[in-house]
Amino acid sequence: MATSLAILLPFFLIFNLASSESFIGVNYGQVADNLPPPSATAKLLQSTAIGKVRLYGTDPAIIKALANTGIGIVIGAANGDIPGLASDPNFAKTWVNTNVVPYYPASNIILVTVGNEVITSNDAGLVNQMLPAIQNVQSALDAASLGGKIKVSTVHSMAVLRDSEPPSAGRFHPEYDTVLQGLLSFNNATGSPFAINPYPYFAYRSDPGRADNLAFCLFQPNAGRIDSNTNIKYMNMFDAQVDAVRSALDSLGFKNVEIVVAETGWPYKGDSNEAGPSLENAKAYNGNLIAHLRSMVGTPLMPGKSVDTYLFALYDEDLKPGAASERAFGLFNPDQTMIYDAGLTKQQQTSSPVPVVAPTTPDMSKSPVTPKPTTVPSALLLFTT
């Protein structure tokens, strides 16, 4: 019997590893009045290759529903919680004892995000309180003997970058240097990630006129764009945006801080005056992105490994204000049917839903609840060939 178990165990492990993919996550926003029960969502997620879920808050019903599924859970402290978390260590302990301790480890909480896009919020008080809040949450996790198991970080808009074109020239805005030095020192010391929200969709929306912009954003065949500093040819906007963040981190001396893509996506419909939203484009972007991640090609500056990427979003959020596209980023309907097939079902893991064009690197011998970001960084990575 023991011999049989020894033989079978590797097959069980292979099966479990194939069930979901840890680098594919999804955002589970709740600015809606038509969402299914958390239990139904948990079953839906288990039928997909999605390995992680990001919540913008700490809804206990959702956290409980995900218990014993193995799905990694990111929970969030709201921007409004930052002053209390920063000023009062006991508030942070209460927060952790309320929102983490009762559920872990059955609910696989892997990361706490303290605030969303705080640095670019233009709220100086909040910006200055962010790192103390993060440190107090870390201390509270340490006190609960969870410090080595659950990471703490925050999430950034691409607008933290002053320069992103070409990717090798990626740099943060100098006015953010002080707070970023402190935050990145914390990330480096604790092994927590630098989480960023890159959206090729917003880059395309700002400049839809160029003929190959859409193909470059959608991972479709295109001529590619050369980074003149490195001679690397980029074949898609996602890699270019993530590598610009990598370059910015490296320029500050934080080459070991890992990047997590906390949000990225494409709307499947929008207002008549919005450039880019369509079912075809959304399917192409998300489907090609998933295939790109599964290829494990990585980015030119981070080859051979896929960055953990959280798709936006699991469902539409019908109560969001703004343009119609804001309410049309969902992958699934409230009845759990697919809005379109992005290749997320388990049986699709072994085949890419759509072709992926891999990035190319040069012959060196010859030479990265608040809604998605709606502002577009000054540098859009629409660099020339």
Side-chain angles (χ1 to χ4, degrees), residues 132-333:
I134 289 171
Q135 290 169 329
N136 281 343
V137 171
Q138 180 69 59
S139 296
L141 287 169
D142 291 344
S145 300
L146 296 174
K149 301 170 183 175
I150 300 172
K151 305 298 184 185
V152 188
S153 193
T154 189
V155 179
H156 306 280
S157 160
M158 284 292 286
V160 294
L161 294 180
R162 179 192 67 186
D163 301 312
S164 55
E165 178 189 342
S168 62
R171 298 294 183 272
F172 296 113
H173 282 283
E175 61 263 38
Y176 303 148
D177 277 357
T178 300
V179 66
L180 281 172
Q181 282 285 354
L183 175 64
L184 289 167
S185 295
F186 173 87
N187 292 146
N188 193 54
T190 62
S192 65
F194 186 84
I196 192 78
N197 293 340
Y199 278 89
Y201 164 68
F202 288 115
Y204 174 74
R205 192 178 72 175
S206 72
D207 185 15
R210 182 173 164 180
D212 67 342
N213 278 351
L214 187 59
F216 189 62
C217 289
L218 297 180
F219 299 83
Q220 292 173 334
N222 65 91
R225 302 183 186 183
I226 300 290
D227 184 320
S228 57
N229 295 328
T230 61
N231 202 34
I232 290 172
K233 178 181 280 192
Y234 282 85
M235 302 307 299
N236 65 80
M237 176 76 72
F238 178 84
D239 282 354
Q241 289 185 324
V242 172
D243 273 0
V245 177
R246 180 73 271 160
S247 295
L249 291 171
D250 292 355
S251 73
L252 291 182
F254 293 98
K255 295 185 178 183
N256 293 326
V257 172
E258 291 196 5
I259 295 170
V260 162
V261 173
E263 288 182 25
T264 192
W266 198 286
Y268 63 88
K269 65 180 178 181
D271 292 321
S272 59
N273 63 346
E274 291 188 88
S278 75
L279 197 65
E280 181 182 30
N281 289 348
K283 181 177 179 178
Y285 179 74
N286 283 315
N288 278 329
L289 171 59
I290 290 164
H292 182 52
L293 295 172
R294 285 179 176 150
S295 75
M296 302 301 286
V297 169
T299 72
L301 297 186
M302 295 181 290
K305 179 186 176 183
S306 291
V307 171
D308 285 2
T309 299
Y310 292 78
L311 305 172
F312 192 93
L314 186 59
Y315 302 116
D316 288 341
E317 294 177 87
D318 67 328
L319 298 182
K320 275 194 169 179
S325 60
E326 287 291 314
R327 296 175 293 281
F329 276 83
L331 294 163
F332 293 91
N333 292 300

Side-chain angles (χ1 to χ4, degrees), residues 29 54 66 102 116 127 129 186 193 212 235 274 295 331 350 361 368 375:
R54 179 187 170 209
L66 293 171
N116 192 47
V127 171
Q129 291 171 308
F186 173 87
D212 67 342
M235 302 307 299
E274 291 188 88
S295 75
L331 294 163
T350 55
T361 53
T375 56

Side-chain angles (χ1 to χ4, degrees), residues 111-136:
L111 176 67
V112 175
T113 57
V114 179
N116 192 47
E117 301 186 353
V118 173
I119 289 180
T120 51
S121 69
N122 297 317
D123 186 330
L126 212 57
V127 171
N128 292 331
Q129 291 171 308
M130 183 179 63
L131 181 56
I134 289 171
Q135 290 169 329
N136 281 343

